[in-house]
Amino acid sequence: MQSSCDRRPGLHVAAIMDGNGRWASARGLPRTAGHRAGVEAIRRVAEAAPDLGIGTLTLFAFSSDNWRRPPGEVAGLMGLLRRYLRHETGRLARTGTRLTVIGRRDRLPAGLPAALDRAEAETAGGERLHLRIAVDYSARDAILAAAAAGPADNREAFGHRLSGGVPDVDLMIRSGGEKRLSDFLLWECAYAELHFSDRMWPDFGAEDLAGALRDFAARERRFGGLGPVPAAA
């Protein structure tokens, strides 16, 4: 379910992009308008990330539980993903951004898995940022799949199998005011710092990301020990 070994330095920041639908409803717009605005926020955040010290950025776009949403909304989300791949892959390649998609692909609409494969291949050489998009993703299902592959010698070996060598999450951000992980990167977030923002995802931008990182840098990370480890390290 995951990509091969990651080579990029820098922080691993993950984000649950919540609030698209509520943003749209507050403006009297259909929920799909909120999702379209959310794509613009992805562009803003991904462009700002490398200059803020982020090497890996993992975004939760569509959970395995989101199939329960109305068929029209699901179809709209899948259409947005297709358009994102069509319009953004070239720009990602030019800016040194490697795109990978995590999650299941066997339930995606016809043609979409192949489009994901092409985008990943075209951006494979990107070294400035590793942008990971979670689609039809469930952390619990990912852990079960990794465990079903056979025993691992230790937690590091199991974690490598689960994530393909991508480092654990340093900072988890959730927009939209909710305060839960929603089955996202549960293993990888074992020692992640958590940042919850009331801002809806379509309004989230570079300054919000920078603010979350300032909050992160002020925290002490002990990883179960007694001596503080500066978060910025």
Side-chain angles (χ1 to χ4, degrees), residues 7-231:
R7 305 182 300 277
R8 291 148 191 80
L11 296 171
H12 182 182
V13 174
I16 299 173
M17 305 181 292
D18 196 15
N20 292 337
R22 285 176 286 152
W23 180 92
S25 297
R27 289 159 175 78
L29 300 171
R31 289 176 60 86
T32 52
H35 296 310
R36 287 196 297 271
V39 172
E40 297 301 318
I42 292 175
R43 183 182 296 112
R44 293 193 299 269
V45 169
E47 288 177 350
D51 291 334
L52 293 172
I54 298 170
T56 303
L57 178 65
T58 306
L59 303 177
F60 203 8
F62 188 86
S63 81
S64 296
D65 291 328
N66 287 155
W67 292 112
R68 302 173 184 172
R69 293 190 176 187
E73 182 173 350
V74 171
L77 287 166
M78 295 300 156
L80 276 176
L81 179 56
R82 287 184 193 272
R83 287 192 287 275
Y84 180 83
L85 296 173
R86 185 165 59 249
H87 296 300
E88 295 293 319
T89 298
R91 186 189 64 83
L92 294 175
R94 290 192 299 273
T95 58
T97 301
R98 176 190 175 194
L99 175 69
T100 60
V101 176
I102 62 174
R104 292 181 60 171
R105 302 193 185 192
D106 58 301
R107 298 189 292 192
L108 299 180
L112 190 50
L116 296 176
D117 292 343
R118 289 193 297 271
E120 289 176 332
E122 290 179 29
T123 62
E127 295 286 346
R128 191 162 184 259
L129 175 70
H130 187 184
L131 175 62
R132 304 164 75 228
I133 306 293
V135 178
D136 195 0
Y137 174 84
S138 159
R140 289 178 292 186
D141 287 349
I143 292 168
L144 283 173
D153 292 336
N154 49 53
R155 67 172 66 174
E156 288 77 16
F158 183 82
H160 191 281
R161 177 190 297 169
L162 179 67
S163 67
V166 174
D168 283 349
V169 175
D170 296 295
L171 173 65
M172 169 66 77
I173 299 169
R174 181 167 188 148
S175 64
E178 303 292 350
K179 296 178 174 63
R180 55 180 177 270
L181 292 179
S182 296
D183 196 19
F184 186 43
L185 301 177
L186 299 180
W187 177 281
E188 296 91 329
C189 283
Y191 278 101
E193 298 295 318
L194 306 180
H195 178 90
F196 299 105
S197 171
D198 290 332
R199 195 178 301 281
M200 300 299 168
W201 181 254
D203 291 327
F204 203 90
E207 184 52 42
D208 298 289
L209 181 61
L213 288 166
R214 286 193 295 270
D215 177 51
F216 171 79
R219 301 186 190 184
E220 292 182 351
R221 307 182 74 193
R222 295 184 176 86
F223 298 98
L226 296 179
V229 178

